[in-house]
């Protein structure tokens, strides 16, 4: 798809539904061709390409997905933590971006400020992928949506409920992608943790086109009829000092057997971006139980990330 060539992925806000649809179909194809131990031998579509992997925060899935997806098809990923390079400290973000843009084919950034990943995209002039900021986690939610579609065979009109910290990066990104794709999305969170109004307004304008229903509520009985229940940690990376306050607010929102039963459906699935704190936002019984699809989601991080890079780097 020509419109994806050379594009960055910072939020999904600037992506059209048909572009996201294309990436989902490509992810499914990538998964069918997967190289880990079976199916086809790896193609070499990233040969001669280089990828800078910038990390201010820790990662297991995102780093490994980018590094293995790119490397197994002949690309050269370079991991750079803030212990390795100047990033807004001795050298400005803008100057770092300009230098990386002269040496690499693409950049992945995981860190704190959304403004950093936005500046990298502007000043590097190469595709930049947001591997998580305080505000958004776009590559994650493509894998989540793919996992839902794999399970149910369709997306439009399905009901996804996020239960927990409604203002966090994952909840916000799910709201955007759901609104674009026509997935009904309910954020179930205490009012103190509501997603911000400006983003909600923007998403409502997308949902008016896609037919998605967006709701924000403190009421856990709004999970009735849900196809999928999603949760995430109560205190995200960088918010460790808010842990006690969040626990007090969010313990009634723990995803456990009682909460799952409120869907009234035997086939509701449980999703989580991981890493999970078992016994806090979700009980071990649910995450380890038959409703859980969390390992599919983790695997799908790699397939979706490969698809994003193939399309935006023009390697198809
Ligand atoms: N879900 C996710 O982003 O995991 P990591 O923090 O391990 O990358
Ligand atoms: N909201 C979590 C997601 C981790 C993948 C965090 O930012 O820490």
């Amino acid at each position: 798809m020509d419109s994806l060539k050379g594009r960055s992925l910072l939020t999904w806000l600037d992506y059209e539904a048909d572009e996201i649809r294309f990436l989902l179909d490509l992810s499914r194809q990538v998964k069918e061709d997967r190289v880990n131990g079976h199916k086809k031998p790896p193609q070499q579509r990233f040969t001669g390409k280089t990828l800078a992997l910038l990390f201010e925060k820790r990662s297991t899935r995102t780093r490994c997905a980018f590094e293995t997806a790119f490397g197994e098809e002949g690309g050269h990923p370079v991991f750079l933590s803030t212990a390795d390079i100047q990033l807004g400290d001795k050298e400005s973000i803008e100057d770092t971006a300009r230098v990386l843009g002269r040496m690499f084919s693409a950049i992945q950034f995981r860190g704190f400020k959304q403004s950093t990943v936005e500046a990298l995209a502007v000043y590097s002039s190469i595709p930049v992928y947001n591997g998580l900021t305080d505000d958004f986690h776009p590559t994650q939610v493509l894998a989540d949506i793919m996992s839902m579609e794999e399970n149910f065979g369709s997306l439009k009109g399905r009901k996804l409920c996020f239960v927990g910290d409604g203002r966090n990066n994952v909840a916000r990104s799910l709201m955007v992608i759901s609104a674009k794709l026509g997935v009904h999305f309910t954020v179930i969170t205490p009012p103190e943790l509501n997603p911000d109004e400006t983003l909600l307004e923007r998403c409502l304008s997308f949902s008016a086109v896609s037919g998605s229903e967006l709701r924000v509520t403190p009421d856990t009985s709004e999970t009735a009829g849900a196809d999928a229940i999603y949760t995430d940690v109560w205190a995200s990376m960088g918010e460790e000092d808010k842990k006690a306050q969040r626990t007090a607010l969010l313990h009634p929102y723990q995803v456990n057997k009682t909460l799952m039963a409120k869907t009234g459906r035997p086939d509701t699935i449980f999703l989580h971006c991981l890493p999970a704190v078992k016994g806090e936002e979700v009980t071990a019984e649910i995450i380890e139980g038959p409703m859980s699809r969390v390992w599919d989601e983790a695997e799908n991080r790699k397939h979706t990330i490969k698809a994003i890079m193939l399309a935006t780097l023009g390697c198809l």
Side-chain angles (χ1 to χ4, degrees):
M1 188 180 238
D2 280 349
S3 66
L4 294 176
K5 284 187 192 149
R7 288 275 285 281
S8 291
L9 172 56
L10 306 179
T11 67
W12 292 122
L13 285 165
D14 57 334
Y15 276 65
E16 299 297 331
D18 66 334
E19 293 170 335
I20 306 174
R21 181 70 260 161
F22 177 87
L23 290 171
L24 281 171
D25 292 341
L26 183 57
S27 303
R28 199 177 56 235
Q29 185 60 53
V30 164
K31 186 168 186 173
E32 277 170 27
D33 295 346
R34 68 182 172 273
V35 295
N36 285 338
H38 57 111
K39 303 262 174 151
K40 295 184 188 168
Q43 301 178 63
Q44 293 295 302
R45 290 172 286 187
F46 296 125
T47 299
K49 306 269 186 211
T50 49
L51 172 68
L53 292 167
L54 271 49
F55 281 84
E56 291 179 341
K57 293 177 178 171
R58 290 185 188 208
S59 168
T60 300
R61 279 145 289 270
T62 308
R63 175 185 176 179
C64 295
F66 271 103
E67 204 159 325
T68 60
F70 199 65
E72 74 191 9
E73 292 221 21
H76 182 63
V78 179
F79 177 78
L80 299 161
S81 79
T82 42
D84 303 305
I85 58 160
Q86 312 288 355
L87 195 64
D89 186 8
K90 190 173 170 198
E91 187 165 30
S92 69
I93 305 293
E94 291 79 0
D95 290 359
T96 305
R98 285 187 273 221
V99 172
L100 297 179
R102 298 290 180 106
M103 298 189 189
F104 287 90
S105 314
I107 298 170
Q108 183 280 165
F109 171 81
R110 164 171 288 202
F112 294 90
K113 293 184 186 159
Q114 182 70 17
S115 59
T116 305
V117 79
E118 309 267 353
L120 286 170
V122 170
Y123 287 93
S124 68
S125 305
I126 55 176
V128 173
Y129 312 119
N130 177 358
L132 180 148
T133 61
D134 291 345
D135 293 347
F136 291 104
H137 196 3
T139 64
Q140 174 67 49
V141 299
L142 190 66
D144 302 333
I145 288 290
M146 178 186 182
S147 308
M148 262 184 88
E149 190 173 50
E150 274 180 342
N151 193 83
F152 294 110
S154 64
L155 282 175
K156 245 188 175 11
R158 296 277 167 197
K159 179 174 175 179
L160 169 64
C161 293
F162 181 94
V163 184
D165 176 8
R167 40 141 299 285
N168 87 3
N169 42 16
V170 171
R172 290 161 49 93
S173 300
L174 286 170
M175 186 156 77
V176 178
I177 204 165
S178 298
K180 294 262 175 176
L181 293 178
V183 174
H184 302 321
F185 184 61
T186 305
V187 184
I188 301 178
T189 190
E192 294 88 337
L193 299 175
N194 277 353
D196 70 89
E197 277 295 323
T198 318
L199 184 70
L200 182 59
E201 291 298 322
R202 265 189 99 177
C203 289
L204 284 168
S205 72
F206 305 141
S207 62
V209 176
S210 71
S212 146
E213 287 165 18
L214 299 184
R215 294 173 59 76
V216 179
T217 171
D219 183 0
T220 55
S221 65
E222 295 273 346
T223 52
D227 293 282
I229 302 290
Y230 196 122
T231 193
D232 185 11
V233 289
W234 288 344
S236 288
M237 288 182 274
E239 299 181 331
E240 289 74 13
D241 60 327
K242 298 195 171 67
K243 188 72 190 278
Q245 179 196 337
R246 290 285 169 73
T247 304
L249 280 172
L250 287 169
H251 79 269
Y253 294 85
Q254 183 190 61
V255 178
N256 52 32
K257 212 170 152 184
T258 311
L259 188 134
M260 289 300 284
K262 290 186 182 185
T263 68
R265 287 178 52 168
D267 60 340
T268 304
I269 59 170
F270 171 73
L271 301 173
H272 193 307
C273 54
L274 304 179
V277 188
K278 296 176 194 176
E280 291 192 6
E281 74 272 8
V282 60
T283 57
E285 183 182 29
I286 295 301
I287 198 167
E288 303 288 354
M291 294 166 155
S292 177
R293 297 291 178 275
V294 300
W295 314 117
D296 294 334
E297 279 178 279
E299 179 190 330
N300 288 340
R301 296 298 309 287
K302 177 168 173 174
H303 306 309
T304 46
I305 280 171
K306 187 184 273 190
I308 291 163
M309 292 193 291
L310 285 169
T312 55
L313 290 172
C315 293
L316 287 168

